[in-house]
Amino acid sequence: MEQIKKELRKMMKSSEHTPIHLFADNSPYFITGAIYKKRPLLENSDIKKKLSELIRKYFAKYNWELHHWVVLNNHYHVMGKSRRGDDLVPLIRNIHRTSAIRIHKLTRCGKPVWWNYWDYCPRNEKEYMTRVNYLLNNPVKHGYVRNLRNYPFSSFHTLYEEKGRDELIWQFKKYPDYSKLVLPEKKDDF
């Protein structure tokens, strides 16, 4: 029992000011990064584009698979798969540090730029697909567009090309709980 507790402490990180993070190897991860005080610092199209490039760059650097992503005005969501769970912190730290420098330079905003990040490891296909649909639907949920094809800062377009319209309609119908999903980070009111 003591060995199990030791392994769990190694896999998880928690402190007073951050949520608990699970460090799992070869596992799916749903990650949300949020701007401090919900400021719309990502509103600029160039900033959104650069952030999405940084996400791709650092996922590749740490050999994590990047499955889906969306960048909105004050937060982003990504769905991927870890190689080494211990790389979660440096992966996100690099994305946030590098993007914060660019965001601060372009917007002259006060610091800090980023508030925090939350991660969740889906346990099965339903949890995974519900979060994928949630991520993909975020631009509609937040009122940026009425049609996902009109939002360029998301992996939706790649998925649309790969699967096609009918397959995506089926996906949203098969996993409809995305519309009722309330993420734990919403409780923290970032």
Side-chain angles (χ1 to χ4, degrees):
M1 186 61 142
E2 212 40 55
Q3 181 63 26
I4 292 172
K5 287 180 182 178
K6 186 177 178 180
E7 287 296 316
L8 282 174
R9 279 193 297 274
K10 181 182 174 210
M11 289 175 61
M12 299 177 81
K13 174 208 158 234
S14 178
S15 72
E16 182 181 351
H17 302 289
T18 62
I20 292 174
H21 298 293
L22 179 64
F23 303 120
D25 296 345
N26 301 307
S27 295
Y29 270 84
F30 177 80
I31 302 167
T32 300
I35 295 289
Y36 182 63
K37 293 189 176 181
K38 298 183 183 181
R39 297 170 294 170
L41 299 180
L42 307 175
E43 195 170 39
N44 178 290
S45 294
D46 290 335
I47 291 175
K48 281 186 177 91
K49 184 178 176 192
K50 287 183 187 337
L51 178 58
S52 65
E53 290 168 0
L54 285 172
I55 290 168
R56 284 191 291 276
K57 173 186 173 181
Y58 284 110
F59 264 69
K61 177 180 178 179
Y62 289 98
N63 293 313
W64 278 42
E65 296 173 17
L66 180 59
H67 299 166
H68 306 284
W69 58 272
V70 65
V71 178
L72 298 128
N73 290 352
N74 64 7
H75 68 288
Y76 67 85
H77 299 291
V78 295
M79 178 66 86
K81 183 178 177 188
S82 67
R83 183 181 63 82
R84 284 180 10 109
D86 288 343
D87 289 336
L88 175 65
V89 172
L91 173 114
I92 300 298
R93 183 186 314 122
N94 278 304
I95 291 169
H96 287 187
R97 179 180 42 95
T98 306
S99 64
I101 292 166
R102 291 178 180 175
I103 292 166
H104 182 70
K105 184 177 179 180
L106 290 170
T107 66
R108 297 289 178 218
C109 65
K111 294 182 182 179
V113 171
W114 292 102
W115 172 243
N116 222 326
Y117 72 94
W118 296 262
D119 57 272
Y120 178 78
C121 294
R123 295 173 290 218
N124 56 46
E125 180 184 5
K126 182 179 180 196
E127 286 187 2
Y128 179 91
M129 293 306 299
T130 297
R131 278 165 178 75
V132 166
N133 287 350
Y134 178 89
L135 176 157
L136 294 171
N137 191 58
N138 238 230
V140 171
K141 176 186 173 214
H142 290 288
Y144 296 173
V145 294
R146 294 183 75 176
N147 183 325
L148 292 174
R149 293 179 71 190
N150 295 331
Y151 193 76
F153 307 105
S154 156
S155 60
F156 176 80
H157 303 283
T158 304
L159 194 60
Y160 189 88
E161 286 177 24
E162 288 172 3
K163 289 188 168 191
R165 180 179 183 275
D166 293 340
E167 178 91 12
L168 283 173
I169 289 171
W170 174 86
Q171 176 180 308
F172 276 89
K173 284 182 179 178
K174 183 174 181 185
Y175 302 99
D177 292 344
Y178 70 92
S179 62
K180 297 178 269 176
L181 185 63
V182 177
L183 301 177
E185 55 268 25
K186 295 292 184 192
K187 295 175 190 167
D188 291 343
D189 197 30
F190 63 84

